[in-house]
Amino acid sequence: IEPGEVPLRLRMLSMRQRLLERYMYPMFDADASGVLAALTLGDKRVLSEEVRAAYADAGVAHVLALSGMHVGVIYLLLSFLLRFLLPRYSFYGLRQLLIIGVLWLFAFMVGIPASVVRAVTMCTLYVVARCVSRDSAPLHVLSLTALLMLLVRPLYLFDVGFQLSFMAMVAILSVEPYLENLLRRRSLPPVLGYCVSLVCMSLAAQLGTFPLLLYHFGTFPLYFLITNMVAVPLFTVLLLVSVFWWVLALAGFPWLEPFSRLLQNVVQGINACLSHIAQWPGAVLHVAECSMLTMLFIYLTLLFTILFIAIPPLLSKYLKRTSIVLQ
C-alpha cells in the first residue's frame, strides 16, 4: 500500500457508507435497496439470496457486479456535463483529466474491485494515448491494462472478477466484429442494428466466460440472450436514474417520495420478471464437475473454431490484394 492510499480509501469508503444509508429511505423495501446498492455501489450485503439466485439463473448477474458498463455510463455522463461547463476544444485535456480523476475516486469508493480497476485503467490508457497521439488499439490497451494490474497486484490473477472481466473483453473485442459482419449489421436500420450489436456483444461475452463459469460455479444460464436484450439497456437507464436520485436525496429535495416510489416499482418489476424467467424449464445448465483441464480444452476448442472461421476470409482478401498488386 502506497503512502496516503489508506487515508484516501478510508475517506472514499466513508462516503460510500453515507450514500448507502440513503438507500434505507422508507419507500424502498429490502430487495429494492439491495439491488440499487449493488448496481450503483457494488455493495451486496443487503441483497437476499433469492434475488441473487434469480439474477444468476436469468443470466444477468453481471449487472449487479460493478464492471465496464458502470464505468462507461459514468464516463459518458461526465463527458456530457463537462461539455457544457468547458465547451471549448482547448479544454479537452482538462475535461479528460477531470473525468479520469473522478473515475479513480469512484474505484476507491467501491473498494477497487478488479473489474472496475480494469475498466478505469483502460479509460486512462485510452485518454493518455489520444492526448499524445499514440496507437490505442483496443486489444493493445487491454493487454497493457492486464500487465499493469498484475505488476501492481499479482494476486489479481486468481481473482474470479479479474478472470471473467478480461475474458469477456477479449471475446468482445475479437469475436464481436466477426459476428456483426456475419449478420451484416451495417446494412440494417439503426434500431435493428443496435439490437443486432447487443446480441453480438452478449454472445461474444458469454462465449468468452462460460468455460470459467462452469469451472468456478458449475452452472451456465441458457436464457442469457433473452434477458440481456432487455436487461442491459434497462439497467443502464436505471443506473442513470439512481445517480440522479442520489443528487436529489443528498440535496434534500422536498418532493422525493413520488420519485422514490417510481424507482421502487421499477426495481420490483425487474425482480419479478427475472424471477419468472429463472423458473423457466431448463433455465440453468448444471455441471457436476469441470476441472481446469476441461476448461482449457473448451477454450482451445473455441480458439481453433474461431480461427477456422476467421482465417479463410482473411486469406481470401490477402490473395485478392496480392493478385491486384501483381497485375
Side-chain angles (χ1 to χ4, degrees):
I1 297 175
E2 297 295 332
E5 182 181 354
V6 172
L8 175 61
R9 290 183 61 183
L10 288 177
R11 287 195 294 270
M12 292 298 102
L13 291 175
S14 176
M15 181 185 298
R16 180 194 192 192
Q17 186 59 37
R18 290 198 299 271
L19 291 172
L20 285 171
E21 291 172 357
R22 299 291 177 175
Y23 287 130
M24 300 301 107
Y25 194 74
M27 291 307 304
F28 295 138
D29 62 16
D31 287 340
S33 298
V35 170
L36 291 172
L39 177 68
T40 56
L41 296 170
D43 191 296
K44 300 181 181 179
R45 290 176 295 178
V46 187
L47 206 59
S48 66
E49 289 300 323
E50 292 78 9
V51 174
R52 289 174 187 255
Y55 276 67
D57 293 347
V60 291
H62 59 90
V63 299
L64 298 180
L66 295 177
S67 61
M69 181 187 80
H70 301 75
V71 174
V73 168
I74 295 172
Y75 181 90
L76 292 175
L77 182 61
L78 291 174
S79 297
F80 178 77
L81 293 175
L82 288 176
R83 280 184 181 178
F84 287 98
L85 298 176
L86 301 171
R88 293 184 181 179
Y89 181 78
S90 57
F91 290 141
Y92 172 80
L94 179 59
R95 290 200 304 265
Q96 297 301 313
L97 182 63
L98 290 173
I99 292 172
I100 294 302
V102 172
L103 289 179
W104 278 110
L105 288 176
F106 173 75
F108 279 107
M109 184 176 69
V110 298
I112 54 174
S115 55
V116 173
V117 174
R118 189 269 307 162
V120 177
T121 304
M122 286 189 70
C123 282
T124 304
L125 293 176
Y126 269 121
V127 169
V128 171
R130 187 168 181 179
C131 289
V132 298
S133 300
R134 302 291 293 182
D135 178 32
S136 59
L139 281 173
H140 296 170
V141 174
L142 183 65
S143 302
L144 182 56
T145 299
L147 177 63
L148 292 175
M149 289 179 65
L150 292 175
L151 286 175
V152 173
R153 187 168 296 181
L155 291 180
Y156 267 144
L157 185 62
F158 305 100
D159 185 276
V160 178
F162 177 91
Q163 296 170 9
L164 291 172
S165 179
F166 272 93
M167 289 310 301
M169 285 302 302
V170 168
I172 288 172
L173 294 176
S174 58
V175 177
E176 185 195 8
Y178 291 103
L179 293 177
E180 290 193 356
N181 288 335
L182 184 65
L183 297 175
R184 298 181 179 180
R185 173 183 172 272
R186 293 182 180 179
S187 60
L188 298 174
V191 175
L192 187 57
Y194 170 77
C195 294
V196 169
S197 179
L198 192 58
V199 168
C200 293
M201 185 178 296
S202 298
L203 283 174
Q206 293 294 337
L207 194 65
T209 57
F210 90 88
L212 280 171
L213 292 174
L214 293 178
Y215 174 69
H216 287 292
F217 307 109
T219 61
F220 181 74
L222 297 180
Y223 297 130
F224 69 90
L225 195 57
I226 298 174
T227 52
N228 277 274
M229 282 291 293
V230 179
V232 171
L234 190 58
F235 275 99
T236 301
V237 175
L238 185 60
L239 179 59
L240 288 170
V241 174
S242 300
V243 173
F244 183 59
W245 186 90
W246 270 2
V247 176
L248 296 180
L250 293 173
F253 189 69
W255 299 289
L256 196 60
E257 183 174 330
F259 189 45
S260 302
R261 184 179 288 109
L262 175 62
L263 199 58
Q264 158 88 2
N265 292 336
V266 170
V267 175
Q268 284 181 337
I270 294 173
N271 290 349
C273 289
L274 294 178
S275 297
H276 180 68
I277 293 173
Q279 295 173 5
W280 287 359
V284 183
L285 172 66
H286 294 277
V287 178
E289 183 179 357
C290 181
S291 64
M292 184 175 291
L293 286 177
T294 304
M295 179 187 70
L296 294 176
F297 176 76
I298 295 173
Y299 272 123
L300 286 175
T301 303
L302 290 174
L303 177 62
F304 284 120
T305 302
I306 293 169
L307 291 176
F308 179 77
I309 295 172
I311 286 179
L314 293 176
L315 185 60
S316 175
K317 288 182 180 179
Y318 174 76
L319 292 176
K320 286 181 179 179
R321 291 178 182 177
T322 304
S323 63
I324 291 173
V325 171
L326 291 177
Q327 290 175 359

